[in-house]
Amino acid sequence: MPARSHPLDECHAMRDIEASLGRGAVRRGSVSGSESSERRRSRNADTARSQAGKGKDRARTRSALQNNRHGYWLLLILFLCGPLGTLLFFVLLPPDTHSTDETGPYELGTKIVHLALAGSSRRARYVLDEYTVWGTFLAGVRDRLQCGPIRTVTDSSGEAILAVADMVDHDHIVIHADWSGGLGEAQASDGGGSTLVRDRRSGSDGLLRLGNSTRRRHRARSLPKLIEQVDALQAQGSRRGVSPEGSPELTPVEPCGARHPTFRLAMVVPWVTDMPPWITYFVASARRSSYLADFLVFHEMIEPPEHLPDNVRFIDLGVGGLSQLIGLRLGDELGMPVRNASLLIRSLRFMLDKWPRLVAEYKPAFGTIFEQYLGDYSHWGYCDLDMVVGNLPLFVSRAELEQHDIVTYSFGDQEALYLRGQWTVHRNEPRVSSVWQRCDHIAGQLQKELLLKVAWVRRMESRGIANYPKRFQSAEGCYSHQAVSRGDLRIAMVHKQAVGLTASGEPEAAIYAVDGAVWRCAAETRVDPDELARHSSAGGCQLSLPGPHLPVGERRPLRMDAEGCGRWMPVEFRMCAPELLEDGDEAARATTTTFDVADGRFYGQRVAPAAGTTLPNGCAQLAFFHFQEWKKNWEGSGATTIGIEPLMAPARAGAAPRFSARPRNFTVTSEGIALLAAGRIHHGGRARTGG
């Protein structure tokens, strides 16, 4: 088969031909005979001009006649065949299965819409796929345009948009929302859920008016279902943050004022699957920290517990909303084309559906992903739901927040110099929140890493293998190493948490949550809950936030080695302190480690507990307790969970019972969670009288 020529080659060849023809004409013109007489040259020139003029007149006449004949024929053909040809054109025209723009073709089922915020110059593009629902779209729009609650959504002609199906590819969508106020204010006004679309002109109870176009007829058919969804969302929103009617079983201890005037922590907790049975204990215990911290639980259509405290907010991103938000924010921050971001979102949704725990891999980037919700906070951080929160205002110190950029709480393994996934707090500044971009698996190689994860899952499933090692890269590895190696971030690692490390055998410790404080006691210790309550009430917070530790002696420099700790992470990311390993566990637990940017070294500072945080019987108060291995012994879910007594709200007539977050006193062991009554302790499955 002969090789096809390239159009540029043909163009160059034609140019060469034209050039050669021009040179030939010049050469032929130069050989005009050798008439020596001036008269002969003049006569020949006159004759040539005369003949040329006559030739032009004849050419114009022929051209006019030909054009007239062609015009008559063209009109005749169009008159006879025009309607038939048009009909055949539309019948034979192949369907357009690809949508393209300047960024390239998109997948089948993907739509690109162009967003504009009314009254401002803000513009953005949004990728819609077959999984996108209305709630997810609204949340994504607020993220892309950085706006407040959305009042109405219309197209460029002013026609109301009420569903994702109403939008077509490359539609121009106008968002009517509050853009003058701060994002934190917008978040507080609607609770972070899907914003209802209402027509302000028709009153608070009037839905957007419908027209009689094709798109409006589609909306009219789905109007009853839409009204039902709107009413359900309103009912859900009205229950958020409402105080319970009547007094709860226990009155939580009022901290020093309602809110600290300088510091405010936002602890971000994304949750993908159904609500775990222990979440009510987490929420009930978080109430005591309202003076200093908010817990933002991002989820996808789960029912939050009743009686939520003001500082625990459940933010519904809709079905697939977490994947959409993570993909859009990371893609935008990394400068990905829209098509790549769309692929990123689909891969994330596939992986989070298969393996929800993967969301923890992106903890270092939470400051970027959830940036729109963090505007009013001095610090942001990440933690887990499988924990009981203690009196944080007593444990979080002003020195930690003022003198350090990143603070993490350990369970006593101070020899391991890494940022703990259970609790790490960051100063809310771009220079601190952008450290994650130094880790390739969540930054430069993010898309490749996700595709490898998807391929691995599909390969295992195709072989019928249910339990297989996951391709998970802990945030405690690369992120910790990069935060230290950057050299300009002040980091503190402090022992302030307890953790359930051993799930088998006899319980070695018990946790008591009493009046908002968390106590860890040895398994055989006889504990009086009234005594714990007295010390819990006495341990109120102070405006100065002095913290629970007192320094002892001078700080000393620490060497850093890759051996002796953190065996779950790659060796290139391990950072261990040999001196603390040599000192022993007790000395390590009593040491606070800090990274000094002046000389790029870690230092250790011995500390002693402040008065009232450790009792004569050995019970010690801590910032929080992390279930970790203990929860593996708790089977089932909800009310059938072995070893867990759910905090249930009273059932309403005709309504299913819901979890309640009323404050209670309870105890936690490796065998389960149970409520406490004054003078009686359900300790390790055996009731004991305190005293």
Side-chain angles (χ1 to χ4, degrees):
M1 180 176 179
R4 297 181 60 182
S5 60
H6 193 278
L8 288 177
D9 297 336
E10 295 178 359
C11 182
H12 293 321
M14 185 62 69
R15 191 177 303 163
D16 294 341
I17 292 173
E18 291 176 353
S20 63
L21 288 177
R23 287 193 298 271
V26 171
R27 285 195 297 270
R28 285 192 298 271
S30 62
V31 185
S32 58
S34 55
E35 295 186 48
S36 58
S37 171
E38 185 67 27
R39 188 181 304 168
R40 179 183 300 176
R41 283 195 299 270
S42 176
R43 186 171 58 251
N44 289 344
D46 292 341
T47 303
R49 282 194 295 269
S50 177
Q51 292 177 352
K54 293 178 180 179
K56 289 181 181 179
D57 292 340
R58 287 193 297 271
R60 281 194 293 268
T61 302
R62 285 195 303 271
S63 176
L65 292 174
Q66 289 175 356
N67 288 339
N68 288 337
R69 285 197 295 272
H70 291 166
Y72 297 148
W73 280 109
L74 180 61
L75 289 175
L76 180 62
I77 292 172
L78 289 176
F79 178 77
L80 295 176
C81 302
L84 179 61
T86 301
L87 180 61
L88 289 175
F89 175 79
F90 281 109
V91 170
L92 299 178
L93 184 67
D96 183 13
T97 60
H98 293 83
S99 173
T100 60
D101 71 353
E102 65 273 11
T103 62
Y106 291 87
E107 304 294 334
L108 183 64
T110 298
K111 294 183 289 188
I112 306 296
V113 294
H114 304 271
L115 306 175
L117 182 60
S120 76
S121 60
R122 301 180 192 175
R123 301 291 185 270
R125 286 185 300 177
Y126 195 96
V127 182
L128 301 170
D129 58 23
E130 62 270 23
Y131 300 111
T132 306
V133 296
W134 186 244
T136 303
F137 171 71
L138 291 179
V141 166
R142 291 185 62 181
D143 175 67
R144 299 292 288 175
L145 294 178
Q146 294 291 287
C147 64
I150 298 175
R151 298 190 298 272
T152 57
V153 181
T154 67
D155 61 13
S156 56
S157 64
E159 185 179 338
I161 304 291
L162 296 179
V164 174
D166 296 338
M167 292 178 282
V168 298
D169 193 26
H170 287 283
D171 215 345
H172 290 266
I173 304 300
V174 180
I175 306 299
H176 302 267
D178 177 19
W179 59 275
S180 58
L183 293 174
E185 177 184 352
Q187 171 61 29
S189 64
D190 69 345
S194 301
T195 308
L196 303 182
V197 181
R198 294 279 182 177
D199 189 353
R200 299 287 178 175
R201 295 168 298 179
S202 61
S204 60
D205 295 328
L207 289 171
L208 288 168
R209 297 184 178 91
L210 305 178
N212 55 7
S213 66
T214 302
R215 194 154 62 184
R216 290 172 180 168
R217 286 196 299 270
H218 170 82
R219 293 180 199 138
R221 290 194 297 269
S222 61
L223 184 57
K225 183 176 180 181
L226 175 65
I227 295 175
E228 181 181 351
Q229 293 174 348
V230 169
D231 291 340
L233 285 173
Q234 281 183 322
Q236 177 182 345
S238 65
R239 292 193 297 267
R240 292 180 178 177
V242 178
S243 300
E245 297 181 2
S247 299
E249 286 79 350
L250 292 171
T251 301
V253 178
E254 183 68 21
C256 47
R259 184 185 179 101
H260 195 278
T262 306
F263 304 110
R264 193 71 184 170
L265 280 60
M267 302 308 297
V268 178
V269 191
W271 191 259
V272 181
T273 57
D274 295 334
M275 186 170 60
W278 56 78
I279 194 172
T280 51
Y281 295 91
F282 166 81
V283 176
S285 65
R287 186 185 304 268
R288 180 69 181 271
S289 302
S290 61
Y291 176 68
L292 190 62
D294 289 336
F295 295 87
L296 310 182
V297 183
F298 296 89
H299 63 94
E300 299 180 354
M301 305 296 287
I302 67 173
E303 192 75 6
E306 291 186 342
H307 311 141
L308 291 178
D310 293 337
N311 66 322
V312 180
R313 302 175 185 175
F314 279 75
I315 302 170
D316 188 359
L317 299 180
V319 178
L322 273 172
S323 304
Q324 182 92 2
L325 183 57
I326 295 173
L328 286 174
R329 291 297 296 123
L330 295 188
D332 184 57
E333 195 69 20
L334 297 173
M336 288 186 180
V338 177
R339 184 182 181 186
N340 295 47
S342 178
L343 177 61
L344 194 67
I345 292 170
R346 288 196 301 273
S347 301
L348 278 166
R349 181 159 188 175
F350 174 85
M351 287 303 304
L352 292 181
D353 181 62
K354 296 291 183 181
W355 194 34
R357 189 189 169 215
L358 180 65
V359 72
E361 189 166 300
Y362 305 101
K363 281 183 176 182
F366 282 179
T368 297
I369 296 171
F370 302 100
E371 181 181 10
Q372 72 177 95
Y373 302 92
L374 307 177
D376 292 337
Y377 295 95
S378 63
H379 294 74
W380 68 269
Y382 47 77
C383 63
D384 295 326
L385 284 184
D386 58 335
M387 55 190 287
V388 180
V389 185
N391 185 2
L392 285 179
L394 176 64
F395 282 86
V396 176
S397 72
R398 176 181 289 270
E400 291 173 354
L401 301 180
E402 283 185 341
Q403 301 173 14
H404 299 91
D405 299 306
I406 303 177
V407 180
T408 190
Y409 289 170
S410 76
F411 56 85
D413 57 335
Q414 291 297 98
E415 71 279 357
L417 307 174
Y418 66 92
L419 305 178
R420 275 68 176 176
Q422 298 89 2
W423 187 274
T424 296
V425 173
H426 306 72
R427 190 185 301 275
N428 193 8
E429 295 179 358
R431 70 180 185 88
V432 181
S433 301
S434 60
V435 179
W436 63 274
Q437 297 186 28
R438 298 168 61 92
C439 293
D440 281 345
H441 70 284
I442 55 176
Q445 299 296 319
L446 172 62
Q447 186 171 333
K448 177 182 177 182
E449 179 65 26
L450 264 176
L451 293 177
L452 289 174
K453 284 179 166 65
V454 171
W456 176 252
V457 171
R458 287 176 172 166
R459 181 180 180 184
M460 293 296 102
E461 289 183 346
S462 66
R463 297 181 176 182
I465 303 175
N467 296 321
Y468 51 87
K470 305 299 190 296
R471 188 182 174 91
F472 178 75
Q473 300 197 38
S474 171
E476 297 172 344
C478 175
Y479 182 57
S480 303
H481 189 271
Q482 291 299 333
V484 171
S485 62
R486 212 177 81 167
D488 63 339
L489 298 177
R490 298 163 295 176
I491 303 171
M493 302 175 182
V494 193
H495 172 212
K496 291 186 179 181
Q497 68 159 303
V499 62
L501 290 176
T502 305
S504 59
E506 283 292 321
E508 60 184 39
I511 302 299
Y512 297 91
V514 179
D515 286 4
V518 171
W519 298 85
R520 182 188 185 276
C521 302
E524 298 303 319
T525 300
R526 298 177 67 87
V527 178
D528 181 2
D530 293 332
E531 182 185 6
L532 293 182
R534 286 193 298 271
H535 287 281
S536 298
S537 301
C541 65
Q542 301 178 38
L543 181 65
S544 59
L545 300 177
H549 293 156
L550 304 174
V552 177
E554 299 293 331
R555 68 171 190 166
R556 57 169 176 166
L558 301 174
R559 291 182 293 112
M560 194 167 62
D561 198 355
E563 296 297 330
C565 69
R567 297 191 180 278
W568 68 91
M569 66 181 72
V571 65
E572 63 268 22
F573 299 142
R574 296 177 193 168
M575 298 180 292
C576 310
E579 290 92 346
L580 296 183
L581 285 171
E582 297 167 0
D583 291 345
D585 294 341
E586 192 66 29
R589 283 194 293 268
T591 301
T592 293
T593 56
T594 56
F595 182 77
D596 194 329
V597 298
D599 57 4
R601 298 186 64 177
F602 275 101
Y603 285 83
Q605 172 68 65
R606 292 290 297 271
V607 295
T613 57
T614 300
L615 304 183
N617 62 0
C619 294
Q621 188 179 172
L622 295 159
F624 62 89
F625 170 73
H626 183 226
F627 299 155
Q628 196 153 322
E629 298 298 315
W630 282 11
K631 66 179 180 287
K632 295 180 181 179
N633 290 343
W634 306 338
E635 303 172 2
S637 61
T640 63
T641 299
I642 297 175
I644 295 182
E645 180 180 344
L647 302 180
M648 301 297 294
R652 297 189 181 92
R658 298 177 61 201
F659 289 107
S660 169
R662 286 192 180 119
R664 312 280 183 91
N665 288 344
F666 55 89
T667 179
V668 186
T669 71
S670 59
E671 298 176 3
I673 305 176
L675 298 180
L676 282 175
R680 296 288 291 179
I681 299 176
H682 303 281
H683 187 126
R686 302 177 298 276
R688 294 192 176 199
T689 302

